[in-house]
């Protein structure tokens, strides 16, 4: 069974286990998991939910 490749929704960077990232469900639809890297969170870059097009900070 292959491991899921985690990528940041904002910048597309692959997330390694040592990178301080966060994963949460979309606050609008609650079905899609949003994953963001430390850098995008730190700079407040926007993300877009691929399911419902919700834009977050």
């Amino acid at each position: 069974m292959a491991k899921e490749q985690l990528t940041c929704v904002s910048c597309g960077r692959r997330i390694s286990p040592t990178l301080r990232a966060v994963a949460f469900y979309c606050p609008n639809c609650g079905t899609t998991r949003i994953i963001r890297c430390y850098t995008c969170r730190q700079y407040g870059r926007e993300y877009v939910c691929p399911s419902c097009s919700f834009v977050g900070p």
Side-chain angles (χ1 to χ4, degrees):
M1 183 158 60
K3 288 186 178 182
E4 177 186 2
Q5 284 291 332
L6 303 178
T7 57
C8 176
V9 173
S10 298
C11 68
R13 181 186 310 183
R14 286 174 43 192
I15 306 292
S16 71
T18 59
L19 191 63
R20 295 183 295 181
V22 65
F24 56 93
Y25 286 97
C26 174
N28 188 48
C29 67
T31 58
T32 303
R33 195 166 88 171
I34 306 292
I35 302 168
R36 299 184 72 210
C37 70
Y38 175 75
T39 305
C40 288
R41 289 187 302 125
Q42 183 178 18
Y43 290 114
R45 295 183 181 135
E46 290 185 343
Y47 64 88
V48 178
C49 175
S51 295
C52 68
S53 301
F54 174 78
V55 178

